Amino acid sequence: MGFSSAAAVSLGSHTLFTCHGRAVKFLSCNTKERHTSNFQFSKVKPHPSRKLSCKLEIEEFEQRTSPNEVKKEVERCYELIHRLGRGVVYLGSSRMGSLHPHYKQTLELGREASLLASLLIFREKNKHMHILVANLLDCTSWSGAGPGLMDAATQGALQAGKPVGGFKIGKEAGEWTATNFHPYLPSDTYLTCKFFSARKHGLVDAVVRSSSSDRTAVVALPGGIGTLDEIFEILALIQLERIGSELPVPFILMNYDSFYSKLLDFLDDCEGWGTLSKGELSSLWKVCDNNSKALAYLAEFYDLSYSGRDRHEVGLMK
């Protein structure tokens, strides 16, 4: 009950409040006698949307008061990863739609990265080495299972015939709702998370290598606040050796059309300020301005051969 529109007038031992056009009289606080005051305001019917909003806020608050709710969701993320397998995690904008040039580049990257393993298996099929080659990128492609560049990476992997998984969250650029719905993915291949913390636990765990035969990677595509949040959280975990301390995980920043160049300039300045050591950042990730360089880096990281000719052969296999 608010008095934002109330006017108060002092009348000796009484104070007169005028609220919403009605007068209410209070006794002065100086009196020692016991008094009661009756309120008779006009009845105001609550607005339906406000009532619904309050109900949702209460429900969200109640969920957050119990750590078990977050724990259960994290466990569900881990179960999905265990079922589908670890692999490449794509981080990227939900706002760059199918008409954006970066969407096409991301789709090609997701498709070629998945097909690269098949190509190398074909070339090495008569060699013992093919067992290791098969694990290069022949794995699950993970993302936030949202629209934009996340969708492009998903589509690319599906075109290559490889498995995909995802951790959805509500209100991806206001396009996809928080319901457990995806336009084309089977419901058992993704989760709709209520908590960002659980979602990020899933994205991180999906790239952790548990054995030397695991082939995983983080691919950071152009994006906004959400993408930058995920990029720097994972980068910090690598820096602190919470990820890849024993089995390193490649982290690639896709600098399409110099999208991240100004950010990279700022990070270079950080070395001058002393907040980053000289060469520290370059040891944590690889900056690539096109798909060929990214694929070549992954092949080099896992000690496998890949060249421009490979990319041409991948195109012939489509």
Side-chain angles (χ1 to χ4, degrees), residues 86-303:
R86 293 185 170 102
V88 181
V89 168
Y90 293 91
L91 312 173
S93 172
S94 64
R95 306 188 185 209
M96 293 179 172
S98 58
L99 299 180
H100 198 284
H102 294 172
Y103 183 98
K104 181 180 179 181
Q105 289 172 289
T106 299
L107 188 146
E108 291 175 349
L109 178 63
R111 181 175 59 215
E112 292 179 12
S114 297
L115 285 170
L116 175 59
S118 300
L119 168 65
L120 293 174
I121 293 171
F122 174 77
R123 291 178 60 184
E124 302 285 343
K125 64 180 179 180
N126 295 321
K127 300 180 182 179
H128 177 70
M129 191 65 182
H130 85 278
I131 297 175
L132 295 178
V133 177
N135 288 317
L136 173 60
L137 286 173
D138 190 14
C139 57
T140 304
S141 292
W142 292 91
S143 74
L149 299 190
M150 291 179 286
D151 180 61
T154 299
Q155 292 276 16
L158 289 176
Q159 288 180 16
K162 301 302 177 181
V164 299
F167 302 102
K168 270 178 92 277
I169 198 73
K171 202 176 181 180
E172 290 283 9
E175 294 183 43
W176 295 17
T177 66
T179 59
N180 192 35
F181 169 77
H182 192 281
Y184 54 85
L185 287 181
S187 59
D188 61 348
T189 62
Y190 67 92
L191 289 175
T192 300
C193 299
K194 293 180 293 185
F195 304 101
F196 270 97
S197 55
R199 183 200 202 191
K200 289 197 283 188
H201 270 292
L203 292 173
V204 169
D205 187 69
V207 299
V208 175
R209 297 173 63 199
S210 57
S211 70
S212 59
S213 62
D214 288 340
R215 298 295 183 263
T216 67
V218 179
V219 178
L221 303 157
I225 293 174
T227 302
L228 291 172
D229 173 42
E230 293 162 349
I231 286 175
F232 283 105
E233 175 159 339
I234 295 178
L235 199 63
L237 291 173
I238 295 175
Q239 180 191 45
L240 297 172
E241 298 185 348
R242 304 306 298 271
I243 300 176
S245 57
E246 295 183 6
L247 297 169
V249 175
F251 191 122
I252 300 177
L253 183 74
M254 297 306 302
N255 191 29
Y256 291 142
D257 301 318
S258 301
F259 182 88
Y260 284 115
S261 291
K262 290 185 178 180
L263 174 64
L264 294 171
D265 290 341
F266 165 74
L267 293 172
D268 284 341
D269 290 341
C270 287
E271 291 187 359
W273 287 104
T275 55
L276 279 173
S277 300
K278 187 69 176 179
E280 180 180 12
L281 187 62
S282 60
S283 68
L284 301 177
W285 65 10
K286 176 70 173 180
V287 179
C288 299
D289 55 15
N290 60 57
N291 293 347
S292 293
K293 291 182 180 178
L295 295 171
Y297 173 72
L298 286 173
E300 179 184 1
F301 189 94
Y302 288 117
D303 196 24

Side-chain angles (χ1 to χ4, degrees), residues 62-76 194-195:
E62 289 176 347
Q63 289 172 350
R64 292 187 175 278
T65 58
S66 173
N68 290 329
E69 292 294 326
V70 181
K71 179 182 177 182
K72 290 176 183 177
E73 193 159 275
V74 171
E75 289 175 347
R76 291 177 62 207
K194 293 180 293 185
F195 304 101

Side-chain angles (χ1 to χ4, degrees), residues 15-19 22-26 37-41:
T15 302
L16 182 66
F17 278 87
T18 304
C19 182
R22 298 180 65 84
V24 182
K25 186 167 66 176
F26 293 87
S37 300
N38 295 322
F39 295 86
Q40 295 182 351
F41 296 105

